[in-house]
Amino acid sequence: MIFEHTAKRDLKSYFNFWNVVKWLSILLLFVFLVYPFFSIIYRSFLTKDNSFTLQNYKIFFTKAYYFRTLKNSFFVSLSATFFSVLVGVPMAYITTRFNIYWKKLINMMIIMSLMSPPFIGAYSWIMLLGRNGFLTKLFERIGINTPPIYGFGGIVLVFTLKFFPYVYLYVSGAMSSIDRSLEEAAENLGSSKLRRTLTVTMPVIMPTLAAGAIMVFMSSLADFGTPMLIGEGYKVLPVLVYEEYMSEMGGNANMAGALSVIIVLCSTTVLLIQKYAVSRKNYVMTAMRPPIIEELSTWKRLLLTAVCMVVSVIAFLPQIVVVITSFIKTNGPIFVDGFSLESYQKIFYKLSKNITNTFTYSIIAIAIIVVLGMLLSYLVVKKKSKLTSVLDLLIMFPYVIPGAVLGISLLVAFNKPPLILSGTASIMVIAYVVRKMPYTIRSSSAMLYQIDPSIEEASINLGVSPMKTFFKVTARMMAPGVLSGAILSWITTINELSSSIMLYSGKTATISVAIYTEVVRSSFGTAAALASILTVATILSLLLFNVISKGKVSVV
């Protein structure tokens, strides 16, 4: 009897709620993340008749057409990272150290520029500086020829304006929390302000700056929409992956697989190098004495405010452009004089399904993300073990997988029995959950670290089961962090293009896919109207996020 009772208790303990969640989560991640990725690795070593080969990799490294895209990708990403640091660091220094005007407005515009999809930025700059762009024509009238927006320069411009907020937000946080006694000590030793900044402040914030820079680099390396729209022959790896898989002459999934593996290896290598470099130079300090905001004279205050406003407005300009152009009359691909709601009438008549799909899939994905985010973050933070460490690694793995690669891996894995998902709404939702869940996991984990464990212990000591304690006590206390992460996941989900363009079918196309296809067809009015819907949805979501986070706006 004693043995039987002990066996039942052990069995019950083994099948407790958190064990079930842990093993079920690992199973789901293996099915929808690990298995698809290994499927595409496997395909990269096959010929068209399914025999083993290294030919795909040999072709990539020996044929200039393929290898050039790798060099192009690194050159574009490094250039965008350099200019993002060049813009983001001074902006962060000015807004955190001086009493400039309109800080909240500047912050909101910068974050809004980060949250909008890059391809909208590319589309907007085509509207402004394309061959028939508004600014191009304006400058032509006064005899000035503007450089083309297409090619390498245009891609770097869009990436810089889109991604410099990563550097700005990371560095702003570090600048605000640095212990001012370090700078005061340097000042007392006779160091000038510039020298203090270069020899004291910059080395201390370097790990944070490196984190922001690596976000810019990896986002630029993985982006598909911008180079596809304005690259014009300047090919990068994500575009080549798309063309290899979706070729009109018959896609080569094996070559696309090899390209996908190379992209992920590049992303992972850069991330590991950054982590190694940061681990060698890490500083710990208290934030008890944050820097004092310097009071400027009126003219200096106005000058620095003007600099920050100009940068912020230029970064935010794509959102303004799409809203304005959505109300301009069109005649085919050409904008004509006058304003009208014609573009909106067209999209609600012809593309209403895309709008419905976008918000339906996103709502379903966010509901799943919220539930999984709460449970998985609790496992990672409160139930630490070797298995949960593996779980945490798997959850964060999508950070180094470009959307196009994830899309192809899901198609390769689930286009045959026993589970056929290609062309369905389900595969779209799965891609969104896998790609966007890390936002909610990280914000929920941060919230859990702030919750006193004694609160849970008190509930359990009063006879409430651990599962009920989680849902009735812990989950409610986690709610602000979960909702903040969910809103950020929502914003990036409704704007998602790179995985959607690989996975959609005629019935499952989304707004971002429709914008892309409308721009390709030169239907700029309808593209602007669709982009305006995303812009308004993003602004409203950010305002809600700002309310929930009590003004502590941060997306990193």
Side-chain angles (χ1 to χ4, degrees), residues 523-544:
S523 300
F524 297 121
T526 50
L530 288 164
S532 297
I533 293 173
L534 287 184
T535 297
V536 171
T538 302
I539 291 174
L540 293 176
S541 301
L542 270 176
L543 291 173
L544 179 60

Side-chain angles (χ1 to χ4, degrees), residues 380-521:
V380 169
V381 174
K382 298 289 188 179
K383 304 285 183 181
K384 289 184 178 178
S385 66
K386 289 183 180 179
L387 204 57
T388 55
S389 296
V390 172
L391 190 62
D392 190 32
L393 184 65
L394 289 176
I395 292 165
M396 292 301 122
F397 186 55
Y399 269 138
V400 297
I401 303 181
V405 173
L406 179 64
I408 291 175
S409 64
L410 288 170
L411 282 176
V412 168
F414 300 117
N415 67 346
K416 56 185 180 296
L419 188 59
I420 301 176
L421 296 176
S422 55
T424 67
S426 299
I427 203 168
M428 302 282 282
V429 173
I430 289 166
Y432 296 159
V433 171
V434 171
R435 284 209 79 199
K436 310 304 177 182
M437 193 162 56
Y439 288 104
T440 303
I441 296 285
R442 281 292 171 253
S443 62
S444 302
S445 298
M447 201 71 191
L448 271 171
Y449 281 116
Q450 299 173 24
I451 297 174
D452 190 343
S454 62
I455 298 172
E456 289 181 273
E457 291 167 4
S459 174
I460 293 169
N461 289 338
L462 289 171
V464 182
S465 69
M467 185 177 73
K468 285 186 178 179
T469 296
F470 173 77
F471 285 108
K472 290 192 173 184
V473 179
T474 312
R476 292 181 183 182
M477 297 177 71
M478 289 171 63
V482 173
L483 288 175
S484 295
I487 291 168
L488 295 180
S489 296
W490 162 264
I491 291 170
T492 54
T493 300
I494 61 175
N495 290 305
E496 172 66 21
L497 172 67
S498 53
S499 60
S500 301
I501 200 77
M502 304 302 301
L503 297 170
Y504 86 98
S505 63
K507 294 180 180 179
T508 61
T510 58
I511 292 177
S512 57
V513 171
I515 294 171
Y516 171 75
T517 54
E518 291 297 292
V519 171
V520 170
R521 294 171 186 163

Side-chain angles (χ1 to χ4, degrees), residues 184-198:
E184 288 172 354
E187 184 180 8
N188 293 335
L189 291 171
S191 180
S192 65
K193 182 180 286 188
L194 178 61
R195 190 175 179 186
R196 285 200 310 270
T197 302
L198 295 177

Side-chain angles (χ1 to χ4, degrees), residues 85-358:
V85 170
L86 207 62
V87 175
V89 172
M91 285 282 289
Y93 188 85
I94 292 169
T95 55
T96 56
R97 295 304 178 90
F98 302 113
N99 63 329
I100 63 168
Y101 299 103
W102 305 323
K103 282 188 183 181
K104 287 187 177 180
L105 177 62
I106 289 168
N107 264 334
M108 183 56 74
M109 285 195 291
I110 290 173
I111 291 172
M112 183 64 207
S113 67
L114 176 62
M115 287 288 97
S116 64
F119 68 90
I120 285 184
Y123 159 74
S124 298
W125 286 106
I126 291 172
M127 291 290 92
L128 292 171
L129 293 172
R131 294 183 181 89
N132 294 308
F134 297 125
L135 293 180
T136 303
K137 288 182 177 179
L138 180 65
F139 286 126
E140 279 178 357
R141 289 173 188 170
I142 57 176
I144 299 174
N145 291 322
T146 56
I149 191 65
Y150 305 97
F152 169 77
I155 297 171
V156 172
L157 173 69
V158 174
F159 281 169
T160 300
L161 294 174
K162 161 70 180 176
F163 296 129
F164 88 85
Y166 279 126
V167 176
Y168 169 81
L169 290 168
Y170 273 98
V171 174
S172 293
M175 288 273 193
S176 300
S177 59
I178 190 173
D179 191 339
R180 72 171 180 265
S181 61
L182 295 172
E183 294 175 336
E184 288 172 354
E187 184 180 8
N188 293 335
L189 291 171
S191 180
S192 65
K193 182 180 286 188
L194 178 61
R195 190 175 179 186
R196 285 200 310 270
T197 302
L198 295 177
T199 60
V200 178
T201 307
M202 290 304 295
V204 169
I205 68 165
M206 193 55 70
T208 307
L209 173 57
I214 204 70
M215 288 294 291
V216 176
F217 182 89
M218 292 178 69
S219 299
S220 302
L221 187 66
D223 188 78
F224 161 79
T226 300
M228 191 69 178
L229 287 177
I230 62 176
E232 284 206 352
Y234 193 89
K235 278 192 173 56
V236 293
L237 277 173
V239 172
L240 190 60
V241 169
Y242 173 81
E243 290 180 349
E244 282 294 323
Y245 194 78
M246 299 290 189
S247 171
E248 291 180 4
M249 303 299 292
N252 185 350
N254 300 333
M255 189 65 198
L259 295 172
S260 300
V261 172
I262 289 165
I263 295 178
V264 173
L265 285 175
C266 290
S267 300
T268 307
T269 302
V270 171
L271 185 63
L272 291 174
I273 292 171
Q274 181 260 345
K275 283 186 175 294
Y276 173 74
V278 167
S279 67
R280 297 187 65 191
K281 288 188 177 181
N282 206 3
Y283 302 92
V284 178
M285 72 191 80
T286 66
M288 299 298 290
R289 302 182 71 235
I292 297 171
I293 295 176
E294 185 177 336
E295 299 289 329
L296 298 172
S297 60
T298 303
W299 72 270
K300 285 184 179 179
R301 194 178 183 190
L302 287 171
L303 178 63
L304 290 180
T305 301
V307 169
C308 291
M309 281 299 294
V310 167
V311 173
S312 304
V313 169
I314 292 174
F316 187 64
L317 192 58
Q319 325 309 318
I320 301 170
V321 170
V322 295
V323 173
I324 293 174
T325 53
S326 69
F327 292 104
I328 299 177
K329 286 183 178 179
T330 58
N331 182 12
I334 302 169
F335 288 100
V336 296
D337 292 338
F339 290 91
S340 145
L341 293 174
E342 180 186 358
S343 295
Y344 287 95
Q345 291 170 349
K346 285 181 181 177
I347 64 170
F348 285 117
Y349 176 69
K350 295 166 58 178
L351 299 168
S352 59
K353 184 67 174 174
N354 298 65
I355 300 170
T356 305
N357 286 346
T358 298

